[in-house]
PDB file of all heavy atoms in Angstrom:
ATOM      1  N   ARG A  90      -0.710  19.531  -0.434  1.00  0.00           N
ATOM      2  CA  ARG A  90      -1.520  19.083  -1.559  1.00  0.00           C
ATOM      3  C   ARG A  90      -1.447  20.030  -2.680  1.00  0.00           C
ATOM      4  O   ARG A  90      -1.718  21.148  -2.653  1.00  0.00           O
ATOM      5  CB  ARG A  90      -2.987  18.889  -1.125  1.00  0.00           C
ATOM      6  CG  ARG A  90      -3.899  18.233  -2.140  1.00  0.00           C
ATOM      7  CD  ARG A  90      -5.180  17.718  -1.401  1.00  0.00           C
ATOM      8  NE  ARG A  90      -5.883  18.745  -0.744  1.00  0.00           N
ATOM      9  CZ  ARG A  90      -6.908  19.407  -1.294  1.00  0.00           C
ATOM     10  NH1 ARG A  90      -7.275  19.121  -2.536  1.00  0.00           N
ATOM     11  NH2 ARG A  90      -7.554  20.265  -0.603  1.00  0.00           N
ATOM     12  N   TYR A  91      -1.022  19.463  -3.890  1.00  0.00           N
ATOM     13  CA  TYR A  91      -0.752  20.337  -5.060  1.00  0.00           C
ATOM     14  C   TYR A  91      -1.999  20.976  -5.658  1.00  0.00           C
ATOM     15  O   TYR A  91      -1.920  22.042  -6.265  1.00  0.00           O
ATOM     16  CB  TYR A  91      -0.052  19.462  -6.106  1.00  0.00           C
ATOM     17  CG  TYR A  91      -0.927  18.566  -6.880  1.00  0.00           C
ATOM     18  CD1 TYR A  91      -1.435  18.911  -8.155  1.00  0.00           C
ATOM     19  CD2 TYR A  91      -1.360  17.278  -6.375  1.00  0.00           C
ATOM     20  CE1 TYR A  91      -2.319  18.090  -8.887  1.00  0.00           C
ATOM     21  CE2 TYR A  91      -2.196  16.475  -7.116  1.00  0.00           C
ATOM     22  CZ  TYR A  91      -2.676  16.902  -8.303  1.00  0.00           C
ATOM     23  OH  TYR A  91      -3.470  16.020  -9.033  1.00  0.00           O
ATOM     24  N   ASP A  92      -3.169  20.320  -5.437  1.00  0.00           N
ATOM     25  CA  ASP A  92      -4.383  20.837  -6.079  1.00  0.00           C
ATOM     26  C   ASP A  92      -5.386  21.342  -5.048  1.00  0.00           C
ATOM     27  O   ASP A  92      -6.614  21.338  -5.268  1.00  0.00           O
ATOM     28  CB  ASP A  92      -5.048  19.760  -6.909  1.00  0.00           C
ATOM     29  CG  ASP A  92      -5.401  18.487  -6.184  1.00  0.00           C
ATOM     30  OD1 ASP A  92      -5.022  18.420  -4.948  1.00  0.00           O
ATOM     31  OD2 ASP A  92      -5.950  17.568  -6.706  1.00  0.00           O
ATOM     32  N   ARG A  93      -4.855  21.834  -3.901  1.00  0.00           N
ATOM     33  CA  ARG A  93      -5.729  22.275  -2.856  1.00  0.00           C
ATOM     34  C   ARG A  93      -6.618  23.489  -3.187  1.00  0.00           C
ATOM     35  O   ARG A  93      -7.666  23.657  -2.551  1.00  0.00           O
ATOM     36  CB  ARG A  93      -4.944  22.602  -1.612  1.00  0.00           C
ATOM     37  CG  ARG A  93      -3.912  23.719  -1.784  1.00  0.00           C
ATOM     38  CD  ARG A  93      -3.014  23.759  -0.505  1.00  0.00           C
ATOM     39  NE  ARG A  93      -1.960  24.808  -0.665  1.00  0.00           N
ATOM     40  CZ  ARG A  93      -0.859  24.602  -1.136  1.00  0.00           C
ATOM     41  NH1 ARG A  93      -0.549  23.329  -1.651  1.00  0.00           N
ATOM     42  NH2 ARG A  93       0.159  25.496  -1.284  1.00  0.00           N
ATOM     43  N   GLU A  94      -6.295  24.253  -4.179  1.00  0.00           N
ATOM     44  CA  GLU A  94      -7.024  25.373  -4.592  1.00  0.00           C
ATOM     45  C   GLU A  94      -8.141  25.001  -5.568  1.00  0.00           C
ATOM     46  O   GLU A  94      -9.089  25.843  -5.766  1.00  0.00           O
ATOM     47  CB  GLU A  94      -6.123  26.419  -5.302  1.00  0.00           C
ATOM     48  CG  GLU A  94      -4.960  26.950  -4.442  1.00  0.00           C
ATOM     49  CD  GLU A  94      -5.398  27.631  -3.208  1.00  0.00           C
ATOM     50  OE1 GLU A  94      -6.480  28.206  -3.197  1.00  0.00           O
ATOM     51  OE2 GLU A  94      -4.641  27.632  -2.199  1.00  0.00           O
ATOM     52  N   ILE A  95      -8.131  23.835  -6.045  1.00  0.00           N
ATOM     53  CA  ILE A  95      -9.163  23.494  -7.082  1.00  0.00           C
ATOM     54  C   ILE A  95      -9.954  22.261  -6.741  1.00  0.00           C
ATOM     55  O   ILE A  95     -11.062  21.988  -7.346  1.00  0.00           O
ATOM     56  CB  ILE A  95      -8.559  23.333  -8.503  1.00  0.00           C
ATOM     57  CG1 ILE A  95      -7.526  22.199  -8.448  1.00  0.00           C
ATOM     58  CG2 ILE A  95      -7.987  24.609  -9.028  1.00  0.00           C
ATOM     59  CD1 ILE A  95      -6.970  21.862  -9.824  1.00  0.00           C
ATOM     60  N   ARG A  96      -9.539  21.472  -5.777  1.00  0.00           N
ATOM     61  CA  ARG A  96     -10.301  20.250  -5.431  1.00  0.00           C
ATOM     62  C   ARG A  96     -10.331  20.045  -3.908  1.00  0.00           C
ATOM     63  O   ARG A  96      -9.491  20.572  -3.130  1.00  0.00           O
ATOM     64  CB  ARG A  96      -9.655  18.975  -5.981  1.00  0.00           C
ATOM     65  CG  ARG A  96      -9.583  18.952  -7.585  1.00  0.00           C
ATOM     66  CD  ARG A  96      -9.038  17.619  -7.997  1.00  0.00           C
ATOM     67  NE  ARG A  96      -8.904  17.607  -9.448  1.00  0.00           N
ATOM     68  CZ  ARG A  96      -7.888  17.977 -10.116  1.00  0.00           C
ATOM     69  NH1 ARG A  96      -6.740  18.300  -9.453  1.00  0.00           N
ATOM     70  NH2 ARG A  96      -7.833  17.930 -11.471  1.00  0.00           N
ATOM     71  N   THR A  97     -11.320  19.328  -3.426  1.00  0.00           N
ATOM     72  CA  THR A  97     -11.404  18.863  -2.067  1.00  0.00           C
ATOM     73  C   THR A  97     -10.381  17.778  -1.863  1.00  0.00           C
ATOM     74  O   THR A  97      -9.892  17.162  -2.817  1.00  0.00           O
ATOM     75  CB  THR A  97     -12.745  18.489  -1.636  1.00  0.00           C
ATOM     76  OG1 THR A  97     -13.127  17.278  -2.340  1.00  0.00           O
ATOM     77  CG2 THR A  97     -13.812  19.560  -1.881  1.00  0.00           C
ATOM     78  N   ILE A  98     -10.160  17.360  -0.594  1.00  0.00           N
ATOM     79  CA  ILE A  98      -9.260  16.258  -0.344  1.00  0.00           C
ATOM     80  C   ILE A  98      -9.872  14.980  -0.941  1.00  0.00           C
ATOM     81  O   ILE A  98      -9.154  14.165  -1.580  1.00  0.00           O
ATOM     82  CB  ILE A  98      -9.080  16.035   1.196  1.00  0.00           C
ATOM     83  CG1 ILE A  98      -8.126  17.213   1.732  1.00  0.00           C
ATOM     84  CG2 ILE A  98      -8.418  14.682   1.509  1.00  0.00           C
ATOM     85  CD1 ILE A  98      -7.951  17.155   3.253  1.00  0.00           C
ATOM     86  N   LYS A  99     -11.160  14.765  -0.738  1.00  0.00           N
ATOM     87  CA  LYS A  99     -11.801  13.571  -1.259  1.00  0.00           C
ATOM     88  C   LYS A  99     -11.660  13.540  -2.845  1.00  0.00           C
ATOM     89  O   LYS A  99     -11.350  12.498  -3.405  1.00  0.00           O
ATOM     90  CB  LYS A  99     -13.303  13.569  -0.913  1.00  0.00           C
ATOM     91  CG  LYS A  99     -14.021  12.374  -1.407  1.00  0.00           C
ATOM     92  CD  LYS A  99     -15.501  12.325  -0.992  1.00  0.00           C
ATOM     93  CE  LYS A  99     -16.158  11.045  -1.455  1.00  0.00           C
ATOM     94  NZ  LYS A  99     -16.051  10.760  -2.829  1.00  0.00           N
ATOM     95  N   GLU A 100     -11.819  14.665  -3.503  1.00  0.00           N
ATOM     96  CA  GLU A 100     -11.709  14.725  -4.898  1.00  0.00           C
ATOM     97  C   GLU A 100     -10.271  14.419  -5.353  1.00  0.00           C
ATOM     98  O   GLU A 100     -10.021  13.717  -6.351  1.00  0.00           O
ATOM     99  CB  GLU A 100     -12.156  16.042  -5.432  1.00  0.00           C
ATOM    100  CG  GLU A 100     -13.693  16.303  -5.393  1.00  0.00           C
ATOM    101  CD  GLU A 100     -14.111  17.727  -5.657  1.00  0.00           C
ATOM    102  OE1 GLU A 100     -13.228  18.644  -5.597  1.00  0.00           O
ATOM    103  OE2 GLU A 100     -15.292  17.969  -5.918  1.00  0.00           O
ATOM    104  N   SER A 101      -9.296  14.920  -4.650  1.00  0.00           N
ATOM    105  CA  SER A 101      -7.943  14.640  -5.004  1.00  0.00           C
ATOM    106  C   SER A 101      -7.561  13.201  -4.769  1.00  0.00           C
ATOM    107  O   SER A 101      -6.907  12.609  -5.674  1.00  0.00           O
ATOM    108  CB  SER A 101      -6.962  15.475  -3.946  1.00  0.00           C
ATOM    109  OG  SER A 101      -6.983  16.820  -4.208  1.00  0.00           O
ATOM    110  N   VAL A 102      -8.003  12.575  -3.711  1.00  0.00           N
ATOM    111  CA  VAL A 102      -7.689  11.160  -3.515  1.00  0.00           C
ATOM    112  C   VAL A 102      -8.438  10.344  -4.543  1.00  0.00           C
ATOM    113  O   VAL A 102      -7.934   9.352  -5.058  1.00  0.00           O
ATOM    114  CB  VAL A 102      -8.180  10.767  -2.026  1.00  0.00           C
ATOM    115  CG1 VAL A 102      -7.966   9.308  -1.780  1.00  0.00           C
ATOM    116  CG2 VAL A 102      -7.211  11.591  -1.067  1.00  0.00           C
ATOM    117  N   ASP A 103      -9.721  10.614  -4.753  1.00  0.00           N
ATOM    118  CA  ASP A 103     -10.518   9.866  -5.757  1.00  0.00           C
ATOM    119  C   ASP A 103      -9.829   9.936  -7.150  1.00  0.00           C
ATOM    120  O   ASP A 103      -9.799   8.943  -7.875  1.00  0.00           O
ATOM    121  CB  ASP A 103     -12.013  10.317  -5.812  1.00  0.00           C
ATOM    122  CG  ASP A 103     -12.748   9.891  -4.613  1.00  0.00           C
ATOM    123  OD1 ASP A 103     -12.330   9.056  -3.899  1.00  0.00           O
ATOM    124  OD2 ASP A 103     -13.888  10.556  -4.402  1.00  0.00           O
ATOM    125  N   LEU A 104      -9.370  11.118  -7.437  1.00  0.00           N
ATOM    126  CA  LEU A 104      -8.671  11.246  -8.733  1.00  0.00           C
ATOM    127  C   LEU A 104      -7.422  10.375  -8.816  1.00  0.00           C
ATOM    128  O   LEU A 104      -7.192   9.645  -9.873  1.00  0.00           O
ATOM    129  CB  LEU A 104      -8.333  12.688  -8.984  1.00  0.00           C
ATOM    130  CG  LEU A 104      -7.432  13.020 -10.265  1.00  0.00           C
ATOM    131  CD1 LEU A 104      -8.249  12.689 -11.553  1.00  0.00           C
ATOM    132  CD2 LEU A 104      -7.095  14.507 -10.305  1.00  0.00           C
ATOM    133  N   THR A 105      -6.683  10.370  -7.782  1.00  0.00           N
ATOM    134  CA  THR A 105      -5.434   9.530  -7.755  1.00  0.00           C
ATOM    135  C   THR A 105      -5.737   8.053  -7.951  1.00  0.00           C
ATOM    136  O   THR A 105      -5.121   7.370  -8.750  1.00  0.00           O
ATOM    137  CB  THR A 105      -4.665   9.731  -6.483  1.00  0.00           C
ATOM    138  OG1 THR A 105      -4.370  11.101  -6.331  1.00  0.00           O
ATOM    139  CG2 THR A 105      -3.437   8.905  -6.430  1.00  0.00           C
ATOM    140  N   PHE A 106      -6.743   7.559  -7.279  1.00  0.00           N
ATOM    141  CA  PHE A 106      -7.060   6.161  -7.341  1.00  0.00           C
ATOM    142  C   PHE A 106      -7.960   5.789  -8.468  1.00  0.00           C
ATOM    143  O   PHE A 106      -8.191   4.580  -8.778  1.00  0.00           O
ATOM    144  CB  PHE A 106      -7.683   5.711  -5.971  1.00  0.00           C
ATOM    145  CG  PHE A 106      -6.686   5.494  -4.924  1.00  0.00           C
ATOM    146  CD1 PHE A 106      -6.163   6.501  -4.202  1.00  0.00           C
ATOM    147  CD2 PHE A 106      -6.098   4.218  -4.691  1.00  0.00           C
ATOM    148  CE1 PHE A 106      -5.218   6.316  -3.205  1.00  0.00           C
ATOM    149  CE2 PHE A 106      -5.173   4.055  -3.773  1.00  0.00           C
ATOM    150  CZ  PHE A 106      -4.660   5.084  -3.072  1.00  0.00           C
ATOM    151  N   SER A 107      -8.548   6.795  -9.187  1.00  0.00           N
ATOM    152  CA  SER A 107      -9.252   6.500 -10.414  1.00  0.00           C
ATOM    153  C   SER A 107      -8.319   6.245 -11.615  1.00  0.00           C
ATOM    154  O   SER A 107      -8.674   5.672 -12.598  1.00  0.00           O
ATOM    155  CB  SER A 107     -10.258   7.656 -10.739  1.00  0.00           C
ATOM    156  OG  SER A 107      -9.498   8.792 -11.152  1.00  0.00           O
ATOM    157  N   ARG A 108      -7.126   6.712 -11.474  1.00  0.00           N
ATOM    158  CA  ARG A 108      -6.047   6.495 -12.419  1.00  0.00           C
ATOM    159  C   ARG A 108      -5.497   5.116 -12.332  1.00  0.00           C
ATOM    160  O   ARG A 108      -5.398   4.652 -11.220  1.00  0.00           O
ATOM    161  CB  ARG A 108      -4.973   7.569 -12.312  1.00  0.00           C
ATOM    162  CG  ARG A 108      -5.413   8.930 -12.683  1.00  0.00           C
ATOM    163  CD  ARG A 108      -4.369  10.013 -12.271  1.00  0.00           C
ATOM    164  NE  ARG A 108      -4.657  11.312 -12.897  1.00  0.00           N
ATOM    165  CZ  ARG A 108      -4.171  12.444 -12.341  1.00  0.00           C
ATOM    166  NH1 ARG A 108      -3.325  12.426 -11.323  1.00  0.00           N
ATOM    167  NH2 ARG A 108      -4.469  13.569 -12.880  1.00  0.00           N
ATOM    168  N   ARG A 109      -5.036   4.603 -13.405  1.00  0.00           N
ATOM    169  CA  ARG A 109      -4.366   3.238 -13.357  1.00  0.00           C
ATOM    170  C   ARG A 109      -3.069   3.481 -12.538  1.00  0.00           C
ATOM    171  O   ARG A 109      -2.537   4.493 -12.437  1.00  0.00           O
ATOM    172  CB  ARG A 109      -4.025   2.807 -14.687  1.00  0.00           C
ATOM    173  CG  ARG A 109      -5.121   2.118 -15.490  1.00  0.00           C
ATOM    174  CD  ARG A 109      -4.703   1.607 -16.867  1.00  0.00           C
ATOM    175  NE  ARG A 109      -3.508   0.802 -16.752  1.00  0.00           N
ATOM    176  CZ  ARG A 109      -3.536  -0.522 -16.535  1.00  0.00           C
ATOM    177  NH1 ARG A 109      -4.690  -1.142 -16.333  1.00  0.00           N
ATOM    178  NH2 ARG A 109      -2.413  -1.216 -16.498  1.00  0.00           N
TER     179      ARG A 109
END
Side-chain angles (χ1 to χ4, degrees):
R90 188 160 59 92
Y91 78 98
D92 57 355
R93 59 187 177 276
E94 302 298 332
I95 59 174
R96 296 186 185 93
T97 65
I98 289 176
K99 182 180 184 304
E100 289 169 342
S101 291
V102 174
D103 285 346
L104 176 61
T105 300
F106 281 84
S107 69
R108 291 167 169 162
R109 281 181 51 85

